Amino acid sequence: MITLARTYRFAAAHTLRSPHLSGAENARVYGKCAHPAGHGHDYHLEFQLRAPRLTDDVVVGHGWLDQLVARVIAPRFDRRDLNQTFGEDFITTGENLAVAAHRLLAPHLPDGVALTVRLVETEKNSFAFHGQ
């Protein structure tokens, strides 16, 4: 297996809140991140593509991947309010955002290429989803 890892940066705002919890319960579960005014991050989103063999000496073309991310990921993540992008029932935790990015990108990958998404939210918080 060979892995290509490519990282993209995007800025976005969000508020951690569940519509099924009261304000006090949201504050208890999500702490200061539940503040109604929201907050933002400079996220790093890394896509790790694994393949058992190379095509044209690469897992996938870097330019091809850049264009795919620009078309499929950036419009939903970059300079957005993630709560508006993903809807009221979607809780914009790093875990859920990593899963969402995986679900958006994976259908566009060539057969036989496996995907792991790693989302870095802060210096202390990162999340990875392997697609299983």
Side-chain angles (χ1 to χ4, degrees):
M1 287 292 235
I2 187 80
T3 300
L4 162 67
R6 208 144 160 86
T7 302
Y8 302 86
R9 191 182 134 222
F10 66 93
H14 72 140
T15 300
L16 292 182
R17 65 174 177 264
S18 168
H20 308 291
L21 300 176
S22 69
E25 290 170 316
N26 274 308
R28 180 184 56 75
V29 173
Y30 302 115
K32 65 182 181 180
C33 295
H35 192 281
H39 63 284
H41 296 283
D42 286 324
Y43 291 96
H44 292 112
L45 192 55
E46 179 182 88
F47 297 105
Q48 300 171 11
L49 286 72
R50 294 178 314 284
R53 65 187 187 319
L54 299 178
T55 302
D56 298 325
D57 296 317
V58 295
V59 175
V60 298
H62 299 182
W64 178 84
L65 182 58
D66 291 347
Q67 290 175 2
L68 180 61
V69 169
R71 183 171 45 87
V72 174
I73 299 296
R76 291 168 178 86
F77 283 80
D78 196 26
R79 293 174 175 74
R80 299 286 185 251
D81 177 332
L82 298 173
N83 298 92
Q84 290 179 1
T85 297
F86 290 100
E88 182 179 295
D89 286 332
F90 184 93
I91 302 169
T92 57
T93 62
E95 295 91 337
N96 287 339
L97 291 171
V99 171
H102 188 284
R103 289 184 177 155
L104 288 167
L105 199 68
H108 301 279
L109 297 178
D111 288 340
V113 174
L115 174 65
T116 293
V117 172
R118 182 171 173 260
L119 178 86
V120 179
E121 182 180 63
T122 69
E123 186 177 285
K124 293 182 179 181
N125 295 333
S126 66
F127 312 89
F129 181 67
H130 305 282
Q132 297 146 352

